Amino acid sequence: MCGIVGYIGHRNCFPILIKGLKRVEYRGYDSVGLALLSRDSFEVFKKVGKVNELEGEISNLSSNSCLGIAHTRWATHGGITEENAHPHVDCSKGIAIVHNGIIENCNELKEELILKGHTFLSETDSEIIAHILEEEYKSNKDYIKATLNTVSKLKGSFALLAVIKDLELIIGARLDSPLTIGIGKDEYFVSSDILSFIEYTDDVIFLNNREVCFIKRDSLTLMNFDGSEIKRDIVKVAKELSDLSNKVFEHYTLKEIHEQTQVVRLALLQDEKRFKTFLEGIKRAKKIYFTGCGTSYHACVLATYLLAKFPKLTSEALIASEFDSIFELIDKDTLLIAISQSGETADLLSCVREAKAKGAKVFALVNNVNSSLVREVDLFLPLNCGPEVGVAATKSFIAQLALLYLISLSLKGDNSMIKELYNLSNSIEEVLKLEEDIKRLALKYKDSKDFYFIGRALHYPIALEGALKLKELSYIHAEGLAAGELKHGPLALISDGTPTLAINPSDETYQRTLNNASEMKARGAKIIGLSDENNSLYDDFIKIPKVMEVFYPIIEVIPLQLLAYYVTLQRKLNPDYPRNLAKSVTVP
Ligand code: F6R
């Protein structure tokens, strides 16, 4: 994970790097640092904590540096300490590097470097990059050769940037972690994500795997790892990505929950031809698998119910990191549909690569249309929900669900239900008006030790999602359970006052879920009913509007997102930055 940013040009790079870092902070926020190079100085600043903490500390800096690299970290190797924060420097303190990824052969490389007399200041795998580059540059004084030799020694995944004190350039390299170059007038930006620099330029070059770049103020050179030069076209990316303001809302998470009124409509805006080809691909496939991680996996689970319910197709959902257990079954008759917000999740990407290698067709539903996933699949449909900054997935989940409904209903050819799907935005607006009721519930249940969410059929993936939101934001232990499974074990967990949220709108699952809730209540649970119909069994009740039965999952998840958000505020935590997490999980 981690976010990296660099700038070279004619402006003071400090504010540009700081702003850029804030935009990639979703990739990790354990520590932050930057290296600034100018004619008469080479300075490195680092700190444990978030970008604004470092910014506050060095905001008086009257730097005239127009060249710098910066990093925000999600710790993998080594604890969260200032020593382990990037940039890392070499022994001569003349080279600084920032790195996103994992260097798998770092131990053996480190041993060799120690034997050559190098001293290490951190416990990270990343620091070795600075020392290898130092060795290589010392021996031949040619930065291109030194870079190519360095990357050829590294195994694992990396996007890295380096600066060398006596050279006015930024070196970049990429293997399996994203790196994008923004092109301005006599200036270049480089980052893990175009969001970092989108307000300065919408002209970008995506670095591919096994490529390096050498960025000077007035020129850009791209090469393969073997040293052959590459010409690459500039791509224009959508400027609207720059709308990241969070003015009205206290947190991005809340802003994104509220944006959900627009999300269904936007997700349904698909290019007709592309969409038709997507449907044809599904019809042709003999085996269909869905894969994703976390929230996106919950969308996969719902997808299997929808394909079974509407076009009556059999499919299976598997967590991406578990997929290798069934790789034997993947062949040219298989269609794998990968679902992802970021399109950069490492487990998902490796699954996609493996499936392609076995001859399968691979499609994706993805929000970030500039992501690695988009470049690797045969066909993708965009979620169109705009950048999601809050670490917890909210609006991207609703967009995934809306698109999965559209796909399933189109395969069935049910136009009247598709019309109803377009009308869901009004009901979503109504659900958002429940905010005050949810705040009261959050206050009541904020000190719970455990929390259960139950639901059947289409509501089961929503129970999983409700539990994930609550645990990741508020740190309360939460589980989503298939209501029918309770008596096969989980009922033993229920004791006096355990809150259980029953997702129970009035559809074919209603009576059976009510019976399960009743069994829990008999054992002391407090039941929070989430439904369009109240019932005397419920200790608390969240009333959602009536919608067409099959669409309840789309609206019922919103009160669960709000509950997680407000419980988190009650517990005095920051919902945008849950501990130990990062939004884009780019390490396997
Ligand atoms: C949960 C959450 C994560 C992501 C998961 C997959 O709120 O955000 O569980 O859903 O890391 O990420 P994407 O969808 O970007 O592949």
Short mmCIF file of all heavy atoms in Angstrom, two decimals, residues 342-387:
data_model
loop_
_atom_site.label_atom_id
_atom_site.label_comp_id
_atom_site.label_asym_id
_atom_site.label_seq_id
_atom_site.Cartn_x
_atom_site.Cartn_y
_atom_site.Cartn_z
N SER A 342 -11.13 0.23 -6.20
CA SER A 342 -9.86 0.85 -6.56
C SER A 342 -9.26 0.29 -7.84
O SER A 342 -8.53 0.97 -8.55
CB SER A 342 -8.84 0.62 -5.44
OG SER A 342 -8.61 -0.77 -5.29
N GLY A 343 -9.52 -0.98 -8.11
CA GLY A 343 -8.87 -1.63 -9.24
C GLY A 343 -7.38 -1.85 -9.00
O GLY A 343 -6.62 -2.14 -9.92
N GLU A 344 -6.95 -1.71 -7.74
CA GLU A 344 -5.52 -1.88 -7.44
C GLU A 344 -5.29 -2.93 -6.37
O GLU A 344 -4.15 -3.10 -5.90
CB GLU A 344 -4.91 -0.54 -6.95
CG GLU A 344 -4.93 0.58 -7.97
CD GLU A 344 -4.05 0.32 -9.19
OE1 GLU A 344 -3.28 -0.66 -9.20
OE2 GLU A 344 -4.17 1.09 -10.16
N THR A 345 -6.33 -3.63 -5.92
CA THR A 345 -6.18 -4.60 -4.84
C THR A 345 -5.30 -5.76 -5.31
O THR A 345 -5.64 -6.46 -6.28
CB THR A 345 -7.58 -5.08 -4.40
OG1 THR A 345 -8.31 -3.93 -4.01
CG2 THR A 345 -7.52 -6.07 -3.27
N ALA A 346 -4.20 -5.96 -4.61
CA ALA A 346 -3.18 -6.91 -5.09
C ALA A 346 -3.73 -8.34 -5.22
O ALA A 346 -3.47 -9.02 -6.22
CB ALA A 346 -1.98 -6.89 -4.16
N ASP A 347 -4.49 -8.79 -4.22
CA ASP A 347 -5.02 -10.17 -4.27
C ASP A 347 -5.90 -10.35 -5.50
O ASP A 347 -5.90 -11.41 -6.14
CB ASP A 347 -5.84 -10.47 -3.01
CG ASP A 347 -4.94 -10.64 -1.79
OD1 ASP A 347 -3.79 -11.06 -1.96
OD2 ASP A 347 -5.40 -10.34 -0.68
N LEU A 348 -6.66 -9.33 -5.80
CA LEU A 348 -7.57 -9.40 -6.94
C LEU A 348 -6.79 -9.43 -8.25
O LEU A 348 -7.08 -10.22 -9.16
CB LEU A 348 -8.49 -8.17 -6.91
CG LEU A 348 -9.65 -8.20 -7.90
CD1 LEU A 348 -10.68 -9.21 -7.44
CD2 LEU A 348 -10.30 -6.84 -8.03
N LEU A 349 -5.77 -8.59 -8.32
CA LEU A 349 -4.98 -8.52 -9.56
C LEU A 349 -4.26 -9.84 -9.82
O LEU A 349 -4.19 -10.31 -10.96
CB LEU A 349 -3.98 -7.36 -9.49
CG LEU A 349 -4.61 -5.97 -9.57
CD1 LEU A 349 -3.57 -4.89 -9.30
CD2 LEU A 349 -5.25 -5.71 -10.93
N SER A 350 -3.77 -10.47 -8.76
CA SER A 350 -3.04 -11.71 -9.02
C SER A 350 -4.01 -12.80 -9.46
O SER A 350 -3.69 -13.65 -10.30
CB SER A 350 -2.16 -12.12 -7.85
OG SER A 350 -2.94 -12.53 -6.79
N CYS A 351 -5.21 -12.75 -8.94
CA CYS A 351 -6.26 -13.69 -9.35
C CYS A 351 -6.61 -13.50 -10.83
O CYS A 351 -6.74 -14.47 -11.59
CB CYS A 351 -7.44 -13.30 -8.48
SG CYS A 351 -8.70 -14.39 -8.33
N VAL A 352 -6.73 -12.26 -11.22
CA VAL A 352 -7.05 -11.92 -12.62
C VAL A 352 -5.95 -12.44 -13.55
O VAL A 352 -6.21 -13.06 -14.59
CB VAL A 352 -7.21 -10.38 -12.75
CG1 VAL A 352 -7.12 -9.91 -14.19
CG2 VAL A 352 -8.52 -9.94 -12.13
N ARG A 353 -4.71 -12.22 -13.14
CA ARG A 353 -3.57 -12.65 -13.99
C ARG A 353 -3.56 -14.16 -14.14
O ARG A 353 -3.38 -14.69 -15.24
CB ARG A 353 -2.26 -12.17 -13.37
CG ARG A 353 -2.09 -10.68 -13.57
CD ARG A 353 -0.93 -10.09 -12.79
NE ARG A 353 -1.09 -8.66 -12.74
CZ ARG A 353 -0.79 -7.88 -11.71
NH1 ARG A 353 -0.27 -8.39 -10.62
NH2 ARG A 353 -0.99 -6.58 -11.76
N GLU A 354 -3.78 -14.84 -13.03
CA GLU A 354 -3.77 -16.31 -13.04
C GLU A 354 -4.89 -16.83 -13.94
O GLU A 354 -4.68 -17.74 -14.74
CB GLU A 354 -3.95 -16.80 -11.59
CG GLU A 354 -3.70 -18.25 -11.35
CD GLU A 354 -2.22 -18.59 -11.29
OE1 GLU A 354 -1.41 -17.70 -10.93
OE2 GLU A 354 -1.88 -19.73 -11.62
N ALA A 355 -6.08 -16.25 -13.80
CA ALA A 355 -7.23 -16.71 -14.60
C ALA A 355 -6.96 -16.48 -16.08
O ALA A 355 -7.26 -17.33 -16.93
CB ALA A 355 -8.49 -15.98 -14.16
N LYS A 356 -6.36 -15.35 -16.40
CA LYS A 356 -6.06 -15.06 -17.82
C LYS A 356 -5.04 -16.06 -18.35
O LYS A 356 -5.15 -16.54 -19.47
CB LYS A 356 -5.54 -13.63 -17.97
CG LYS A 356 -6.66 -12.62 -17.87
CD LYS A 356 -6.29 -11.29 -18.45
CE LYS A 356 -6.47 -11.31 -19.96
NZ LYS A 356 -6.24 -10.01 -20.57
N ALA A 357 -4.06 -16.37 -17.52
CA ALA A 357 -3.03 -17.32 -17.94
C ALA A 357 -3.66 -18.68 -18.23
O ALA A 357 -3.13 -19.46 -19.03
CB ALA A 357 -1.97 -17.43 -16.86
N LYS A 358 -4.79 -18.97 -17.60
CA LYS A 358 -5.45 -20.27 -17.84
C LYS A 358 -6.45 -20.18 -18.97
O LYS A 358 -7.24 -21.10 -19.20
CB LYS A 358 -6.14 -20.72 -16.56
CG LYS A 358 -5.16 -21.02 -15.46
CD LYS A 358 -5.75 -21.93 -14.44
CE LYS A 358 -4.64 -22.66 -13.72
NZ LYS A 358 -4.80 -24.06 -13.68
N GLY A 359 -6.50 -19.05 -19.64
CA GLY A 359 -7.35 -18.91 -20.84
C GLY A 359 -8.75 -18.40 -20.55
O GLY A 359 -9.58 -18.32 -21.46
N ALA A 360 -9.04 -18.06 -19.30
CA ALA A 360 -10.39 -17.57 -18.97
C ALA A 360 -10.60 -16.17 -19.53
O ALA A 360 -9.63 -15.42 -19.74
CB ALA A 360 -10.56 -17.55 -17.46
N LYS A 361 -11.87 -15.81 -19.74
CA LYS A 361 -12.21 -14.41 -20.03
C LYS A 361 -12.33 -13.71 -18.69
O LYS A 361 -12.85 -14.30 -17.72
CB LYS A 361 -13.58 -14.32 -20.71
CG LYS A 361 -13.56 -14.41 -22.20
CD LYS A 361 -13.80 -13.03 -22.81
CE LYS A 361 -13.56 -12.97 -24.29
NZ LYS A 361 -12.19 -13.02 -24.72
N VAL A 362 -11.83 -12.48 -18.61
CA VAL A 362 -11.94 -11.76 -17.34
C VAL A 362 -12.60 -10.40 -17.57
O VAL A 362 -12.13 -9.60 -18.38
CB VAL A 362 -10.56 -11.57 -16.67
CG1 VAL A 362 -10.73 -10.90 -15.31
CG2 VAL A 362 -9.85 -12.91 -16.49
N PHE A 363 -13.70 -10.19 -16.87
CA PHE A 363 -14.42 -8.91 -16.91
C PHE A 363 -14.30 -8.25 -15.54
O PHE A 363 -13.97 -8.92 -14.55
CB PHE A 363 -15.92 -9.13 -17.19
CG PHE A 363 -16.25 -9.56 -18.61
CD1 PHE A 363 -17.57 -9.79 -18.97
CD2 PHE A 363 -15.27 -9.72 -19.58
CE1 PHE A 363 -17.91 -10.19 -20.25
CE2 PHE A 363 -15.59 -10.11 -20.88
CZ PHE A 363 -16.92 -10.35 -21.21
N ALA A 364 -14.59 -6.95 -15.49
CA ALA A 364 -14.53 -6.27 -14.18
C ALA A 364 -15.63 -5.23 -14.05
O ALA A 364 -16.08 -4.65 -15.05
CB ALA A 364 -13.17 -5.59 -14.01
N LEU A 365 -16.05 -5.01 -12.82
CA LEU A 365 -16.84 -3.83 -12.45
C LEU A 365 -15.90 -3.03 -11.56
O LEU A 365 -15.45 -3.53 -10.53
CB LEU A 365 -18.09 -4.19 -11.64
CG LEU A 365 -19.06 -5.23 -12.20
CD1 LEU A 365 -20.32 -5.28 -11.34
CD2 LEU A 365 -19.43 -4.94 -13.63
N VAL A 366 -15.61 -1.81 -11.95
CA VAL A 366 -14.55 -1.08 -11.23
C VAL A 366 -14.83 0.41 -11.23
O VAL A 366 -15.40 0.94 -12.19
CB VAL A 366 -13.17 -1.41 -11.88
CG1 VAL A 366 -13.11 -1.02 -13.34
CG2 VAL A 366 -12.01 -0.77 -11.13
N ASN A 367 -14.45 1.06 -10.13
CA ASN A 367 -14.70 2.50 -10.05
C ASN A 367 -13.56 3.31 -10.68
O ASN A 367 -13.79 4.23 -11.45
CB ASN A 367 -14.91 2.92 -8.60
CG ASN A 367 -15.47 4.31 -8.50
OD1 ASN A 367 -16.26 4.72 -9.37
ND2 ASN A 367 -15.09 5.05 -7.50
N ASN A 368 -12.33 2.92 -10.35
CA ASN A 368 -11.19 3.68 -10.85
C ASN A 368 -10.84 3.21 -12.27
O ASN A 368 -10.18 2.18 -12.45
CB ASN A 368 -10.01 3.49 -9.89
CG ASN A 368 -8.77 4.24 -10.35
OD1 ASN A 368 -8.79 4.92 -11.38
ND2 ASN A 368 -7.72 4.13 -9.58
N VAL A 369 -11.27 4.00 -13.24
CA VAL A 369 -11.10 3.54 -14.63
C VAL A 369 -9.66 3.74 -15.14
O VAL A 369 -9.35 3.41 -16.27
CB VAL A 369 -12.09 4.24 -15.59
CG1 VAL A 369 -13.51 3.82 -15.30
CG2 VAL A 369 -11.94 5.75 -15.54
N ASN A 370 -8.82 4.30 -14.29
CA ASN A 370 -7.41 4.43 -14.65
C ASN A 370 -6.55 3.40 -13.93
O ASN A 370 -5.34 3.54 -13.83
CB ASN A 370 -6.90 5.83 -14.30
CG ASN A 370 -7.68 6.89 -15.03
OD1 ASN A 370 -7.77 6.86 -16.25
ND2 ASN A 370 -8.30 7.80 -14.30
N SER A 371 -7.18 2.39 -13.41
CA SER A 371 -6.46 1.45 -12.54
C SER A 371 -5.79 0.33 -13.32
O SER A 371 -6.07 0.09 -14.50
CB SER A 371 -7.44 0.84 -11.55
OG SER A 371 -8.46 0.17 -12.25
N SER A 372 -4.94 -0.41 -12.62
CA SER A 372 -4.27 -1.58 -13.21
C SER A 372 -5.30 -2.61 -13.67
O SER A 372 -5.15 -3.23 -14.71
CB SER A 372 -3.35 -2.23 -12.18
OG SER A 372 -2.49 -1.27 -11.66
N LEU A 373 -6.37 -2.78 -12.88
CA LEU A 373 -7.38 -3.79 -13.22
C LEU A 373 -7.96 -3.53 -14.61
O LEU A 373 -8.06 -4.44 -15.44
CB LEU A 373 -8.50 -3.77 -12.16
CG LEU A 373 -9.60 -4.81 -12.33
CD1 LEU A 373 -9.05 -6.22 -12.23
CD2 LEU A 373 -10.70 -4.62 -11.28
N VAL A 374 -8.28 -2.27 -14.85
CA VAL A 374 -8.88 -1.91 -16.14
C VAL A 374 -7.95 -2.28 -17.29
O VAL A 374 -8.38 -2.75 -18.34
CB VAL A 374 -9.19 -0.39 -16.15
CG1 VAL A 374 -9.41 0.14 -17.55
CG2 VAL A 374 -10.40 -0.12 -15.28
N ARG A 375 -6.65 -2.11 -17.05
CA ARG A 375 -5.70 -2.38 -18.13
C ARG A 375 -5.46 -3.88 -18.31
O ARG A 375 -4.94 -4.30 -19.33
CB ARG A 375 -4.40 -1.61 -17.89
CG ARG A 375 -4.55 -0.17 -18.41
CD ARG A 375 -3.41 0.73 -18.04
NE ARG A 375 -3.66 1.30 -16.72
CZ ARG A 375 -2.76 1.39 -15.77
NH1 ARG A 375 -1.56 0.90 -15.95
NH2 ARG A 375 -3.07 1.95 -14.64
N GLU A 376 -5.86 -4.68 -17.35
CA GLU A 376 -5.55 -6.11 -17.45
C GLU A 376 -6.73 -6.98 -17.86
O GLU A 376 -6.54 -8.12 -18.25
CB GLU A 376 -4.96 -6.59 -16.13
CG GLU A 376 -3.67 -5.85 -15.83
CD GLU A 376 -2.76 -6.58 -14.87
OE1 GLU A 376 -2.88 -7.80 -14.74
OE2 GLU A 376 -1.93 -5.89 -14.25
N VAL A 377 -7.96 -6.47 -17.76
CA VAL A 377 -9.12 -7.33 -18.05
C VAL A 377 -9.53 -7.21 -19.52
O VAL A 377 -9.12 -6.30 -20.23
CB VAL A 377 -10.33 -7.00 -17.14
CG1 VAL A 377 -10.01 -7.32 -15.69
CG2 VAL A 377 -10.77 -5.55 -17.30
N ASP A 378 -10.37 -8.15 -19.96
CA ASP A 378 -10.85 -8.12 -21.35
C ASP A 378 -11.90 -7.03 -21.54
O ASP A 378 -12.00 -6.43 -22.59
CB ASP A 378 -11.46 -9.48 -21.72
CG ASP A 378 -10.41 -10.58 -21.65
OD1 ASP A 378 -9.44 -10.49 -22.41
OD2 ASP A 378 -10.54 -11.50 -20.82
N LEU A 379 -12.68 -6.80 -20.51
CA LEU A 379 -13.76 -5.80 -20.62
C LEU A 379 -14.14 -5.33 -19.22
O LEU A 379 -14.17 -6.13 -18.28
CB LEU A 379 -14.98 -6.47 -21.28
CG LEU A 379 -16.16 -5.58 -21.64
CD1 LEU A 379 -15.77 -4.54 -22.69
CD2 LEU A 379 -17.32 -6.43 -22.17
N PHE A 380 -14.46 -4.05 -19.07
CA PHE A 380 -14.90 -3.58 -17.76
C PHE A 380 -16.10 -2.66 -17.90
O PHE A 380 -16.32 -2.06 -18.95
CB PHE A 380 -13.76 -2.83 -17.04
CG PHE A 380 -13.52 -1.45 -17.59
CD1 PHE A 380 -14.13 -0.34 -17.02
CD2 PHE A 380 -12.69 -1.25 -18.69
CE1 PHE A 380 -13.91 0.94 -17.54
CE2 PHE A 380 -12.48 0.02 -19.22
CZ PHE A 380 -13.08 1.11 -18.64
N LEU A 381 -16.87 -2.59 -16.83
CA LEU A 381 -17.94 -1.58 -16.74
C LEU A 381 -17.59 -0.65 -15.59
O LEU A 381 -17.24 -1.12 -14.49
CB LEU A 381 -19.29 -2.23 -16.47
CG LEU A 381 -19.84 -3.17 -17.55
CD1 LEU A 381 -21.18 -3.76 -17.11
CD2 LEU A 381 -20.00 -2.46 -18.89
N PRO A 382 -17.66 0.67 -15.80
CA PRO A 382 -17.32 1.60 -14.72
C PRO A 382 -18.47 1.76 -13.72
O PRO A 382 -19.63 1.70 -14.10
CB PRO A 382 -17.10 2.91 -15.48
CG PRO A 382 -17.97 2.80 -16.70
CD PRO A 382 -18.02 1.34 -17.06
N LEU A 383 -18.11 1.99 -12.46
CA LEU A 383 -19.13 2.21 -11.44
C LEU A 383 -19.63 3.66 -11.45
O LEU A 383 -20.71 3.96 -10.93
CB LEU A 383 -18.58 1.90 -10.04
CG LEU A 383 -18.10 0.47 -9.78
CD1 LEU A 383 -17.55 0.35 -8.36
CD2 LEU A 383 -19.23 -0.52 -9.98
N ASN A 384 -18.80 4.55 -11.98
CA ASN A 384 -19.18 5.96 -12.16
C ASN A 384 -19.55 6.69 -10.87
O ASN A 384 -20.34 7.62 -10.91
CB ASN A 384 -20.41 6.08 -13.08
CG ASN A 384 -20.10 5.65 -14.49
OD1 ASN A 384 -18.96 5.75 -14.94
ND2 ASN A 384 -21.10 5.17 -15.20
N CYS A 385 -19.03 6.26 -9.72
CA CYS A 385 -19.48 6.96 -8.50
C CYS A 385 -18.49 8.02 -8.03
O CYS A 385 -18.65 8.58 -6.96
CB CYS A 385 -19.82 5.97 -7.40
SG CYS A 385 -18.45 5.01 -6.76
N GLY A 386 -17.47 8.33 -8.83
CA GLY A 386 -16.53 9.38 -8.45
C GLY A 386 -15.56 8.86 -7.41
O GLY A 386 -15.75 7.77 -6.86
N PRO A 387 -14.49 9.64 -7.14
CA PRO A 387 -13.47 9.15 -6.20
C PRO A 387 -14.07 8.87 -4.82
O PRO A 387 -14.86 9.66 -4.32
CB PRO A 387 -12.49 10.30 -6.10
CG PRO A 387 -12.83 11.23 -7.20
CD PRO A 387 -14.21 10.98 -7.66
#
